[in-house]
């Protein structure tokens, strides 16, 4: 008898009947050959080998796990029945030999990976976001569809390589101009982190001065649409600092003849700088407590001329020109990485750099390719600069080739997964490669912060904060300062889970968070002052905590004028439960302009669900999103909102606390969702049904070890999906 039939007939089930009877009772009515709803017919599969229809049965398991099927209104099993049926199906699927799906064998570095690789290889802080276009996103991440290299992008790579090599070596003595602009929607009335206490506003620029010599720094002030300098209320003192040392000080005051070009025309300083990386600061000394008289409490934001004007002048642009007279390359971090203790043999200089850049052992033939760049140059420094430029545009650097299942390919894959950067010498040198031990070591390295800035930013939509622009009439106190504070709070929570190897459920429910004064004021939490983020023990009345209570998540799941239970519900289902509803059918009308805007949002969505084409998805999304209605479009708590919510299984709850409690009752769902997201990010491809057994093994491993973040990572990097080895056991603790 076939495997599945034997399994179904010999397993315990609902009302002492076998699972086959449960499937026939609850599923076949809609999913037989005649009805075939959703294009699925199960009756013909019951007597066949389950492995031959793994894709269909994995889809069934996903629907059963989410309690989406059978739909509300149909006869449904109880929780024990669901679990028995799922266990019977997964036991057979998980017993099958692993089938490895090949990932992309030829993949270009994303701009984040390129930026980190340049930093770790040459010690150059290069802004790849400004140099390269945005990478296309697929399956939620930008490292999935990056297989091509358009000619226009190649030109940018060549220009970037020349600039990076020139900055790293410091051989060029020509004067260069670097302009740093400050966003116009930044409030500059408060202290800027990194600048001396007792100053306000301005900007801190981390700049590498490749050569020792004299440099000129020029400052321009923010202007309004009428080209008038903003905030010119009396006289103000502006300082230019280098590594916190005062280099020059200026008085800024209104122009008597209203010639606004004169106000900042004199803000130029020239001083000597020793080659290397320095912190250049431009800031103001506070002039008492600037306050414009208003009928209401002053806003924290001050940058908009008509709604909340600046109280004081603000920095718009800092221009660095030099060296005006070069005195030689300085002792920069880049030169220490390249030349070590004064190495002069070009082969000895280039070999360790090339090994890390190309992620493999280097042969003499590889060095021979670079020697002409050195030999044809006028000096060793110039030659190394040319050779490095060639390395940075080489195919071996720009593209990841990981089609082989050897130690080198796995080391590269592991490094780009956890660090979004190149493997270090230890990774490249270990044979055989102990993936789990190396992963645990790498998680303790500061470079693992890439999981926050690259993975979490995309998983949680934090990158979308850049485009969040709440209506200034409804939310006049929103500025870029608040946007960055919202992002930082969520980033610090995720970083804390990684660095302290906490349970991943700390992401959902925690009694701590991180705040600065700006964020605390936004949340209405007292006694927190200053620009420094610090850990805060939360009180229940504050209604703060895990991801679902954080303003960053509320902001990226709202419209400019109001909250969106639909977007919020979709976000929860997709990112926290791996249960994304299907895309809407074509020509579905939006709420606005079709349903009266005078109705409360709950009633408007109820009318929307009356449309048959909309109900199937909105019945899943809307009730979940309503649980967050106590938070407005920028994450402020609003008591009294109708926050009744529910899931497709018929469970109901009240507000965010009820939603959290419901999620924590079935922890495997959240951990499965997080594991799947991490695997997509690690593999650079969407998951296939054949990956599902590996996901379940990782979840079981995490459960057995306190749901720690490191256990999920260790399970991923030792899975057949990651190693490419079908003989690899699914999860060491499985």
């Amino acid at each position: 008898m076939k495997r599945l039939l034997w399994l179904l007939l010999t397993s315990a089930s609902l009302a002492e009947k076998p699972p086959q009877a449960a499937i026939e009772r609850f599923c076949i009515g809609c999913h037989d050959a005649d009805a075939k709803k959703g294009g699925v017919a199960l009756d013909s599969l019951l007597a066949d080998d389950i492995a031959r229809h793994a894709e269909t049965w994995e889809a069934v398991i996903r629907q059963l796990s989410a309690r989406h099927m059978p739909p509300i209104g149909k006869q449904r099993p109880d929780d024990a029945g669901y679990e028995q049926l799922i266990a019977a199906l997964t036991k057979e699927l998980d017993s099958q030999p692993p089938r490895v799906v090949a990932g992309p064998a030829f993949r270009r570095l994303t701009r984040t990976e390129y930026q980190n690789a340049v930093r770790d290889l040459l010690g150059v802080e290069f802004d790849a976001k400004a140099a390269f276009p945005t990478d296309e996103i697929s399956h939620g991440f930008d490292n999935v569809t990056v297989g091509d290299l358009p000619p226009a992008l190649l030109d940018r790579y060549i220009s970037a390589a020349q600039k990076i090599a020139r900055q790293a070596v410091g051989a060029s003595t020509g004067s260069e101009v670097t302009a740093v602009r400050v966003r116009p929607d930044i409030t500059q009335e408060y202290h800027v982190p990194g600048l001396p206490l007792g100053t306000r506003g301005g900007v801190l620029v981390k700049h590498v001065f490749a050569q020792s010599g004299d440099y000129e720094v020029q400052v321009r002030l923010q202007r309004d649409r009428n080209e008038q300098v903003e905030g010119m209320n009396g006289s103000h003192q502006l300082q230019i600092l280098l590594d916190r040392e005062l280099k020059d000080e200026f008085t800024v005051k209104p122009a008597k003849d209203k010639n606004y070009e004169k106000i900042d025309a004199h803000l130029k300083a020239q001083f000597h700088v020793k080659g290397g990386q320095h912190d250049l600061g431009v800031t103001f000394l506070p002039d008492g407590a600037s306050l414009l008289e208003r009928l209401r409490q002053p806003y924290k934001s001050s940058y908009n001329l008509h709604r909340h004007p600046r109280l004081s002048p603000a920095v718009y642009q800092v221009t660095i020109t030099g060296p005006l007279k070069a005195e030689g390359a300085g002792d920069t971090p880049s030169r220490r990485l390249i030349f070590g203790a004064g190495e002069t043999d070009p082969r000895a200089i280039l070999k360790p750099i090339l090994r890390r850049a190309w992620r493999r052992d280097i042969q003499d033939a590889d060095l021979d390719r670079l020697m002409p760049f050195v030999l044809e140059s006028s000096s060793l420094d110039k030659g190394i600069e040319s050779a490095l430029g060639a390395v940075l545009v080489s195919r071996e650097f720009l593209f990841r080739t990981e089609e082989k299942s050897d130690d080198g390919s796995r080391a590269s894959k592991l490094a780009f997964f956890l660090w979004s950067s190149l493997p270090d010498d230890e990774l490249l040198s270990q044979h055989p490669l102990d993936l789990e031990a190396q992963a645990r070591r790498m998680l303790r390295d500061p470079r693992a912060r890439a999981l926050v800035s690259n993975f979490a930013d995309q998983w949680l939509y934090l990158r979308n904060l850049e485009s969040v622009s709440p209506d200034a009439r409804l939310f006049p106190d929103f500025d870029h300062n608040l946007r960055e504070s919202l992002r930082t709070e969520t980033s610090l929570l995720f970083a804390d889970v990684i660095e302290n190897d906490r349970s991943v459920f700390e992401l959902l429910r925690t009694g701590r968070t991180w705040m600065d004064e700006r964020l605390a004021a936004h949340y209405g939490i007292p006694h927190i002052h200053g620009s420094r983020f610090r850990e805060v023990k939360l009180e229940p009345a504050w209604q703060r905590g895990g991801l679902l209570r954080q303003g960053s998540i509320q902001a990226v799941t709202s419209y400019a004028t109001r909250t969106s239970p639909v977007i919020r519900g979709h976000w929860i289902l997709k990112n926290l439960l791996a249960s994304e509803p299907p895309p809407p059918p074509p020509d579905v009308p939006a709420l606005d302009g079709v349903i009266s805007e005078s109705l409360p949002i709950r009633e408007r969505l109820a009318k929307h669900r009356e449309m048959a084409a909309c109900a199937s998805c909105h019945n899943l999304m809307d009730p979940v999103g309503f649980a967050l209605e106590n938070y407005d479009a920028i994450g402020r708590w609003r008591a009294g909102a109708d926050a009744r919510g529910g899931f497709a299984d018929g469970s109901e709850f009240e507000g965010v606390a009820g939603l959290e409690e419901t999620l924590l009752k079935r922890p495997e769902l959240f951990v499965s969702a997080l594991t799947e997201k991490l695997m997509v990010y690690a593999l650079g491809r969407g998951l296939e049904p054949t990956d599902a057994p590996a996901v379940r093994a990782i979840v079981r491993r995490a459960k057995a070890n306190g749901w720690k973040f490191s256990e999920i990572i260790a399970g991923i990097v030792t899975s057949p999906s990651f190693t490419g080895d079908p003989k690899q056991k699914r999860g060491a603790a499985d």
Side-chain angles (χ1 to χ4, degrees), residues 54-123:
E55 182 174 354
T56 299
W57 288 115
E58 289 291 355
V60 170
I61 291 170
R62 187 174 287 269
Q63 292 293 322
L64 293 173
S65 297
R67 306 296 195 259
H68 287 175
M69 293 291 165
I72 296 293
K74 299 288 186 179
Q75 191 176 16
R76 296 161 61 95
D78 58 18
D79 282 343
Y82 269 113
E83 294 305 323
Q84 288 174 348
L85 185 54
I86 292 169
L89 294 172
T90 56
K91 181 178 180 181
E92 180 67 9
L93 287 167
D94 292 349
S95 68
Q96 302 298 317
R99 289 177 56 193
V100 175
V101 178
F106 198 64
R107 185 166 28 152
R108 175 174 50 82
L109 299 187
T110 68
R111 62 182 187 177
T112 299
E113 292 169 343
Y114 182 98
Q115 178 173 306
N116 292 346
V118 166
R119 176 202 64 202
D120 295 340
L121 183 68
L122 300 175

Side-chain angles (χ1 to χ4, degrees), residues 563-565 568 600-606 609 622-632 637-646 652-656:
T563 61
S564 173
R568 289 178 174 179
I601 187 65
R602 187 178 289 269
E603 294 182 29
R604 295 176 69 192
L605 287 173
R609 290 194 297 273
D622 298 359
V624 184
F626 278 127
L628 302 183
E629 275 298 281
N630 282 122
Y631 297 97
D632 71 7
W637 178 259
R638 51 185 185 185
D642 186 354
R644 292 170 295 143
E652 297 181 349
F653 42 81
E654 182 74 30
V656 65

Side-chain angles (χ1 to χ4, degrees), residues 28 160 178 194 220 238 465 483-484 550-551 565 612 617 629 636:
I28 296 301
T178 302
R220 291 273 291 173
L238 180 140
L465 279 170
R483 182 185 287 115
E484 285 302 299
Q550 297 194 346
C617 292
E629 275 298 281
R636 295 176 302 191

Side-chain angles (χ1 to χ4, degrees), residues 121 350 353-354 357-358 370 386-394 397-398:
L121 183 68
L350 292 172
I353 296 173
L354 206 56
W358 289 359
L370 297 177
S386 298
L388 291 179
V391 170
L392 295 178
V393 294
S394 64
F397 176 75
L398 290 177

Side-chain angles (χ1 to χ4, degrees), residues 171-301:
S172 300
T173 59
S175 181
E176 296 186 359
V177 178
T178 302
V180 178
R181 287 186 177 177
V182 182
R183 292 178 59 120
D185 58 347
I186 291 180
T187 298
Q188 297 191 34
E189 306 300 333
Y190 311 102
H191 174 254
V192 173
L195 290 173
L197 294 175
T199 60
R200 68 133 193 104
V203 63
L204 181 67
V205 181
K206 294 183 179 297
H207 185 71
V208 175
F209 296 83
Q211 292 266 333
S212 296
D214 290 341
Y215 288 80
E216 182 183 86
V217 175
Q218 182 175 6
V219 180
R220 291 273 291 173
L221 301 179
Q222 294 277 3
R223 285 163 164 77
D224 59 27
R225 66 184 64 178
N226 300 317
E227 288 300 312
Q228 298 180 3
V229 175
E230 297 178 300
M232 284 308 303
N233 302 307
S235 297
H236 303 268
Q237 295 301 117
L238 180 140
Q239 293 185 337
I240 296 178
L241 312 168
L242 188 71
D243 297 329
R244 291 179 168 246
E245 179 185 346
L246 179 63
K247 290 297 181 181
D248 215 332
E249 185 169 353
F250 304 90
T251 298
V252 179
K253 56 186 178 181
K256 294 181 179 180
D257 57 358
K258 294 187 178 182
N259 184 344
Y260 288 93
E261 290 301 315
K262 293 181 179 180
I263 293 178
D264 57 5
H266 66 295
L267 302 182
K268 295 181 181 179
Q270 184 173 317
F271 47 88
H272 187 271
V273 181
K274 185 178 180 181
Q277 180 170 310
H278 297 277
D279 290 341
L280 178 66
V282 178
T283 186
F284 291 91
L285 293 179
D287 184 20
S290 298
L291 183 66
L292 295 182
E293 291 188 10
R294 294 170 174 162
L295 295 177
R296 299 176 181 177
Q297 180 177 343
Y299 295 123
K300 288 287 186 179
S301 61

Side-chain angles (χ1 to χ4, degrees), residues 6 17 103 110 133 150 188 223 225 258 326 379 393 465 493 514 533 542 578 661 680 722 729:
W6 178 87
K17 294 179 181 179
T110 68
Q188 297 191 34
R223 285 163 164 77
R225 66 184 64 178
K258 294 187 178 182
S379 66
V393 294
L465 279 170
L493 172 62
W514 287 259
F533 270 82
W542 295 344
E661 189 65 35
V680 171
F722 188 88
K729 187 178 179 181

